[in-house]
Amino acid sequence: MFESLNKDYQLCEEIGRGRFGVVYRCFSADSATSFACKAIDKRLLTDPTDRICLDIEPKLLHLLSGHPNIIHLFHVYEDDDALLLVTDLCDSPDLYDRVSKGPLSEPEAAGILSSLMGAIGYCHRLGVAHRDIKPDNVLFDSWNRLKLADFGSAEWFGGNERRAMSGVVGTPYYVAPEVLSGREYSEKVDVWSAGVVLYVMLAGVPPFYGETPAETFEAVLRGNLRFPTRIFRSVSPEAKDLLRKMLCKDPSRRLSADQVLTHGFDFLKTGHPWVTSGGETRAMADLA
């Protein structure tokens, strides 16, 4: 499986494991740099949909690798049994690990969301929808730079003449209601998912959940967004308003990725959008 890889890299220890493969650290002697190698075992891909995803991910990563907040694809190796993707090494705790320890501060959440929406907006401008935005896919490298990863569910929806997408993909807590309803949908499903990520960062729990995936899907379809006082007492009105506009059930009224980055109110007469100011307006309020 690794014969072609071994010409350029030294395979090192396992650092992660997924449904179809294993992630290893690999080392390039030429550049004296460590990378990640995602090894996908083709023999485990019995569903035709999974085979399509296998073909799509490296193509889309080649297209998107120029953005600083998207995982960079360096090399692809493939034989009859395996696909090997050599990417950035992200060895800091991912966002899932960070939020599992409790809610983040508002400035920290704003900074992460700013980088995440920058990556999502870049994808959308190039006609790509990620379709599985969640904390597990928000990685950080050794310099704490955010890297959006795992484009296995992504789809290219077009350039100037954009087409609607279909198909149920994503993760129960984070999937947009229009995906579950069976209707066609747009790239704004990523904005919904990012809104759920923001809610989780600020609250430590998802906004829509149930005891089973089916109950969670029902809660998502209802889309009854609430801000429990016990949890959101210290969260700013601007952050709550942003959540309402990202987690809007009507996609035509939901903010786009670029609009999220420019959202904000004249809070304390600063005029700074909440996201691009990194939550600084809230910090100023706390000092007032």
Side-chain angles (χ1 to χ4, degrees):
M1 179 187 293
F2 299 105
E3 288 82 1
S4 55
L5 174 82
N6 289 336
K7 297 175 184 177
D8 303 308
Y9 298 93
Q10 176 187 345
L11 193 68
C12 304
E13 73 276 10
E14 177 183 326
I15 56 175
R17 185 172 287 266
R19 189 160 56 113
F20 299 121
V22 181
V23 180
Y24 300 90
R25 184 176 69 85
C26 62
F27 180 76
S28 169
D30 289 341
S31 63
T33 304
S34 290
F35 299 87
C37 174
K38 182 178 181 180
I40 301 170
D41 190 339
K42 292 182 178 181
R43 295 166 294 186
L44 300 176
L45 304 176
T46 56
D47 188 322
T49 303
D50 294 329
R51 285 279 182 177
I52 293 171
C53 293
L54 183 73
D55 293 334
I56 288 177
E57 183 171 14
K59 293 177 182 177
L60 294 183
L61 280 178
H62 271 304
L63 174 66
L64 300 169
S65 281
H67 193 278
N69 297 120
I70 295 176
I71 200 83
H72 189 92
L73 180 65
F74 293 95
H75 284 105
V76 178
Y77 303 92
E78 186 171 10
D79 58 26
D80 292 338
D81 296 327
L83 175 70
L84 309 177
L85 306 178
V86 178
T87 67
D88 293 311
L89 176 65
C90 294
D91 49 1
S92 295
D94 63 25
L95 186 56
Y96 178 86
D97 290 333
R98 298 182 186 204
V99 297
S100 66
K101 297 176 182 178
L104 306 183
S105 69
E106 198 162 315
E108 186 177 5
I112 290 172
L113 186 68
S114 179
S115 296
L116 177 59
M117 297 313 300
I120 293 173
Y122 182 77
C123 292
H124 292 178
R125 287 190 294 276
L126 291 179
V128 176
H130 186 282
R131 302 201 301 174
D132 196 19
I133 302 293
K134 58 182 178 181
D136 318 52
N137 292 334
V138 179
L139 311 183
F140 297 88
D141 65 16
S142 300
W143 295 272
N144 203 37
R145 292 177 299 201
L146 183 148
K147 300 284 184 177
L148 179 60
D150 197 347
F151 284 77
S153 298
E155 183 169 344
W156 191 77
F157 57 84
N160 294 329
E161 295 183 5
R162 301 192 171 192
R163 60 180 180 84
M165 292 170 283
S166 61
V168 178
V169 295
T171 302
Y173 292 127
Y174 300 92
V175 67
E178 61 266 31
V179 174
L180 298 177
S181 70
R183 304 194 309 266
E184 291 185 333
Y185 51 84
S186 74
E187 70 275 13
K188 283 190 176 181
V189 296
D190 288 343
V191 176
W192 174 281
S193 300
V196 178
V197 170
L198 174 59
Y199 191 105
V200 170
M201 286 195 290
L202 294 173
V205 295
F208 314 108
Y209 58 89
E211 295 297 323
T212 65
E215 290 180 1
T216 299
F217 288 152
E218 290 175 6
V220 171
L221 286 167
R222 287 194 298 271
N224 186 13
L225 182 62
R226 295 180 177 177
F227 300 112
T229 303
R230 178 178 58 86
I231 299 175
F232 279 87
R233 181 179 294 107
S234 61
V235 175
S236 72
E238 288 69 32
K240 294 175 187 175
D241 186 68
L242 178 58
L243 282 166
R244 292 187 189 96
K245 291 176 177 177
M246 295 178 73
L247 296 173
C248 177
K249 282 185 64 178
D250 182 354
S252 67
R253 297 173 54 216
R254 190 181 305 157
L255 296 180
S256 69
D258 289 337
Q259 286 172 332
V260 170
L261 288 170
T262 57
H263 172 82
F265 289 87
D266 188 15
F267 187 51
L268 292 183
K269 306 299 181 183
T270 64
H272 295 307
W274 181 80
V275 172
T276 53
S277 67
E280 290 175 1
T281 51
R282 181 62 191 173
M284 290 174 64
D286 291 338
L287 293 173

